Amino acid sequence: MNKSGSLPKSPLVTIYLPTKNRLKLLKRAIRSVLNQTYTNLELIVINDGSTDTTQQWLEELSANEPRLIVLTELKSIGACAARNKAINKASGQFITGLDDDDEFLPDRIKTFLENYDSRYAFLSHGVLWYYGRVGKVIDAQEQELSLDDMLSYNYATNQVFTETYKLKAIQGFDTTFKACQDYDTWVRLILEFGTAKKLQGYSYIQHQGHEEERISTITNKLLGYSQFNKKHNQLMNKKNKINQGFMSISASKKRYPLYLYLKHLQGGFFIRKTRYLLSSNLPLLASLRSKALK
């Protein structure tokens, strides 16, 4: 419910979805959008230079699905530039995103609309990390998200729900980032529009077990964190900087020295840091855990 006034009866919601050469996964992602219990949707799929049969399949689907808009790039422009093209094209009052290897649960859009409050910069909802056999739910506790919160950790996950004008006002995603583009965008939304909110529960599945090409390599993740820290360093306090240091070392998948762990405990996140201390220093334990999840 919008605390600052009633929503239109059935507002149009835009979903942007960039893709490149992952047709099998894309089909699952699109199906999860078209099967939403809330149906007044506009799905903008950006075919970012695919060389497989993605374009043909999208054209055939769009001929019979009026909610689907296909934007085609003959040469890849990158996921963030592709997202920005969709954002600029969006007609919906509200907007959210989906990665082509992930999927929505059926009530995701309905849940956001029922809980929307325009006083917040955006809403987010928890995620199920699915490994192929078992899953792990993360960031599923209700919480208001301040700038200080977000500069320590990306509580908002990889997708948020907001009014389209807000995302357009900050000019979408920063295409210079190698990774952490979502994180940077959510921080800029909070800077521009104030506190955000994370809803209780989850409605998004991130598939961790597939063998398709990964968009964010370790090298890119580390570059992304470096770019994020450089861009927002002047906003960070000591605790934020400590936690950014932890996120960088965990992204590197390197051994976590005990002395650094003890130093980083000043920033909180005891359980998360302790788990990484154990897994990075006991690789056999980490390997057995990984195999059990798949």
Side-chain angles (χ1 to χ4, degrees):
M1 179 179 178
N2 188 330
K3 307 301 182 186
S4 300
S6 298
L7 287 174
K9 187 174 181 180
S10 297
L12 181 65
V13 178
T14 298
I15 297 98
Y16 54 84
L17 198 172
T19 190
K20 181 182 177 183
N21 289 335
R22 300 207 285 193
L23 181 56
K24 181 179 178 181
L25 302 178
L26 175 66
K27 289 180 178 180
R28 179 181 64 198
I30 288 180
R31 185 167 60 246
S32 78
V33 174
L34 299 181
N35 289 339
Q36 287 293 295
T37 55
Y38 184 83
T39 59
N40 192 22
L41 306 172
E42 171 186 75
L43 172 59
I44 303 180
V45 177
I46 314 92
N47 181 12
D48 188 31
S50 294
T51 55
D52 58 6
T53 58
T54 294
Q55 184 65 24
Q56 178 184 349
W57 184 81
L58 286 170
E59 289 175 356
E60 292 173 356
L61 181 62
S62 64
N64 299 301
E65 178 48 77
R67 295 178 295 174
L68 174 61
I69 297 172
V70 181
L71 304 181
T72 303
E73 296 293 329
L74 297 179
K75 184 177 180 181
S76 178
I77 59 174
C80 280
R83 292 184 186 107
N84 287 344
K85 285 214 164 190
I87 291 165
N88 291 330
K89 177 78 172 177
S91 300
Q93 179 181 349
F94 296 95
I95 193 165
T96 189
L98 175 63
D99 291 343
D100 63 1
D101 52 346
D102 299 333
E103 62 181 305
F104 288 168
L105 291 181
D107 286 336
R108 181 170 173 83
I109 302 302
K110 178 184 176 184
T111 299
F112 280 134
L113 286 172
E114 288 178 343
N115 290 276
Y116 195 75
D117 183 336
S118 63
R119 294 175 298 180
Y120 291 115
F122 60 79
L123 297 181
S124 67
H125 208 195
V127 169
L128 173 67
W129 282 354
Y130 187 65
Y131 295 89
R133 182 189 298 177
V134 297
K136 177 183 178 183
V137 176
I138 65 163
D139 298 317
Q141 289 74 42
E142 183 174 342
Q143 178 184 358
E144 288 197 340
L145 303 177
S146 67
L147 179 63
D148 182 59
D149 293 326
M150 288 292 289
L151 289 174
S152 277
Y153 172 72
N154 182 14
Y155 289 96
T157 74
N158 66 324
Q159 306 290 353
V160 304
F161 183 91
T162 190
E163 291 166 273
T164 304
Y165 87 87
K166 292 180 179 179
L167 200 47
K168 288 181 177 180
I170 64 164
Q171 299 181 25
F173 292 83
D174 187 337
T175 60
T176 67
F177 270 52
K178 295 295 184 181
C180 300
Q181 303 97 331
D182 51 354
Y183 191 10
D184 166 68
T185 304
W186 315 155
V187 165
R188 287 187 290 114
L189 278 170
I190 287 175
L191 276 169
E192 184 71 20
F193 297 104
T195 301
K197 186 175 183 180
K198 178 160 57 77
L199 303 177
Q200 181 76 25
Y202 70 95
S203 59
Y204 191 100
I205 301 176
Q206 275 191 334
H207 290 274
Q208 307 287 331
H210 66 78
E211 300 302 323
E212 298 281 353
E213 180 183 355
R214 299 288 178 178
I215 293 174
S216 295
T217 64
I218 290 177
T219 299
N220 282 344
K221 284 181 180 179
L222 291 174
L223 284 171
Y225 275 118
S226 176
Q227 290 173 302
F228 181 89
N229 278 274
K230 184 176 181 180
K231 186 172 182 177
H232 300 294
N233 184 265
Q234 76 282 1
L235 301 172
M236 296 181 188
N237 57 33
K238 180 180 178 181
K239 181 188 71 173
N240 300 146
K241 292 176 181 179
I242 287 173
N243 290 324
Q244 289 294 325
F246 167 69
M247 287 195 288
S248 292
I249 197 167
S250 61
S252 75
K253 300 190 182 301
K254 291 182 178 179
R255 177 178 169 272
Y256 196 15
L258 180 60
Y259 80 90
L260 195 55
Y261 162 78
L262 294 174
K263 177 182 177 182
H264 283 172
L265 285 182
Q266 298 175 58
F269 298 99
F270 172 77
I271 293 176
R272 181 175 284 112
K273 290 169 183 175
T274 302
R275 283 176 176 166
Y276 188 69
L277 174 74
L278 295 174
S279 65
S280 69
N281 285 280
L282 299 170
L284 177 59
L285 179 64
S287 177
L288 290 173
R289 178 180 179 272
S290 178
K291 288 179 180 179
L293 290 172
K294 294 182 179 179

